[in-house]
């Protein structure tokens, strides 16, 4: 049995010490997720799950494919065969996403603690608590940060300590999204470590700090359009 309070405390500590190790990749994915903000917000309105959490789950489960269910990446216009199996078909990606969050374990729509520690723990339980049982950082959260080196379940019940998860984790994606959107918050607390909403120095696309995701994206846009 995993103590979820202890897991939340561990995730809060990891978040406080986390740094992106794949910044350019995280920036690219974050921009793609951010462009779909309105679609994620539509699901948020029906479930109460913050849109950034929905976005990073979508990326982890199906690389943001819109023909794949948020629940497990199966096509939403057919009955799902992977866990949770037997869901669908649905009329839209949004309908399938609401079903995944409201009617499928771990029932994130019932989750009440949307502080950053609570959000990270909710995201980890969405994938499963196998890593927490082993006392190791979950790549579902921490891949792409300095909090993760290796270790992955390659199939149900089979853990390979040397396998490296190639996908970016939810925490890495949240960090990158935070630098693009200064309004992202969980239960009134900014995702940015130690930042406040009134902080004029907070990195963003309109006010990027040197070396930040925002600065990377701005430089990329300038390079594409030849702006100086």
């Amino acid at each position: 049995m995993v103590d979820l309070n202890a897991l939340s405390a561990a995730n809060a500590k990891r978040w406080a010490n986390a740094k992106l190790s794949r910044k350019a990749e995280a920036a690219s994915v974050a921009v793609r997720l951010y462009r779909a903000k309105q679609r994620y917000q539509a699901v948020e309105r029906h479930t109460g799950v913050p849109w950034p959490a929905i976005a990073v789950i979508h990326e982890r489960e199906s690389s943001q494919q819109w023909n794949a269910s948020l629940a497990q990446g199966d096509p939403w216009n057919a009955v799902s065969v992977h866990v949770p199996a037997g869901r669908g078909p649905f009329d839209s990606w949004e309908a399938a996403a609401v079903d995944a969050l409201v009617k499928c374990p771990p029932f994130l729509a019932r989750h009440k603690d949307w502080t950053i520690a609570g959000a990270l723990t909710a995201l980890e339980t969405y994938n499963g608590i196998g890593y927490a049982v082993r006392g190791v950082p979950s790549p579902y959260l921490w891949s792409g940060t300095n909090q993760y080196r290796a270790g992955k379940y390659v199939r149900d019940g089979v853990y390979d300590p040397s396998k490296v998860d190639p996908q970016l984790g939810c925490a890495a994606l949240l960090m990158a999204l935070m630098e693009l959107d200064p309004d992202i918050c969980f239960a009134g607390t900014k995702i940015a470590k130690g930042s406040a909403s009134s902080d004029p120095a907070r990195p963003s696309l309109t006010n990027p700090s040197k070396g930040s995701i925002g600065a990377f994206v701005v430089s990329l846009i300038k390079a594409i359009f030849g702006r100086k």
Side-chain angles (χ1 to χ4, degrees):
M1 183 68 72
V2 172
D3 183 337
L4 293 182
N5 289 327
L7 179 58
S8 290
N11 281 331
K13 184 176 181 179
R14 288 169 182 146
W15 174 264
N17 294 300
K19 295 181 180 179
L20 285 170
S21 57
R22 292 153 59 186
K23 181 178 287 188
E25 182 182 357
S28 177
V29 175
V31 169
R32 173 162 49 79
L33 296 176
Y34 181 72
R35 286 173 179 163
K37 178 178 178 178
Q38 290 186 345
R39 296 192 71 171
Y40 297 131
Q41 286 179 320
V43 177
E44 177 182 2
R45 286 192 289 272
H46 287 283
T47 64
V49 179
W51 79 263
I54 298 169
V56 299
I57 291 173
H58 192 195
E59 179 65 21
R60 281 293 310 192
E61 295 297 330
S62 67
S63 299
Q64 206 192 17
Q65 295 180 64
W66 294 102
N67 62 349
S69 173
L70 191 72
Q72 71 298 81
D74 287 353
W76 50 258
N77 62 351
V79 178
S80 63
V81 296
H82 296 95
V83 178
R87 311 305 301 177
F90 299 98
D91 294 329
S92 65
W93 179 87
E94 286 80 0
V98 170
D99 180 82
L101 298 172
V102 173
K103 297 183 179 181
C104 300
F107 307 105
L108 287 197
R110 303 178 189 176
H111 190 71
K112 302 302 182 185
D113 180 6
W114 290 110
T115 61
I116 190 59
L120 290 169
T121 300
L123 290 166
E124 184 162 354
T125 61
Y126 194 87
N127 176 244
I129 58 173
Y131 297 99
V133 169
R134 291 179 172 272
V136 298
S138 168
Y140 194 85
L141 293 185
W142 302 108
S143 180
T145 78
N146 61 347
Q147 299 301 299
Y148 173 75
R149 292 185 179 179
K152 180 175 172 59
Y153 280 93
V154 293
R155 57 183 181 274
D156 289 346
V158 180
Y159 179 76
D160 184 344
S162 63
K163 180 70 173 180
V164 177
D165 192 323
Q167 284 187 277
L168 290 165
C170 293
L173 293 169
L174 288 175
M175 292 169 68
L177 277 170
M178 169 268 293
E179 293 211 42
L180 295 180
D181 186 347
D183 292 326
I184 291 177
C185 64
F186 283 89
T189 302
K190 292 291 177 180
I191 290 180
K193 292 164 271 188
S195 71
S197 59
S198 60
D199 182 0
R202 179 138 191 256
S204 67
L205 280 180
T206 56
N207 183 35
S209 63
K210 185 177 180 180
S212 70
I213 297 291
F216 174 83
V217 173
V218 169
S219 65
L220 183 62
I221 292 173
K222 288 182 177 179
I224 292 173
F225 293 100
R227 295 167 58 185
K228 297 182 179 179

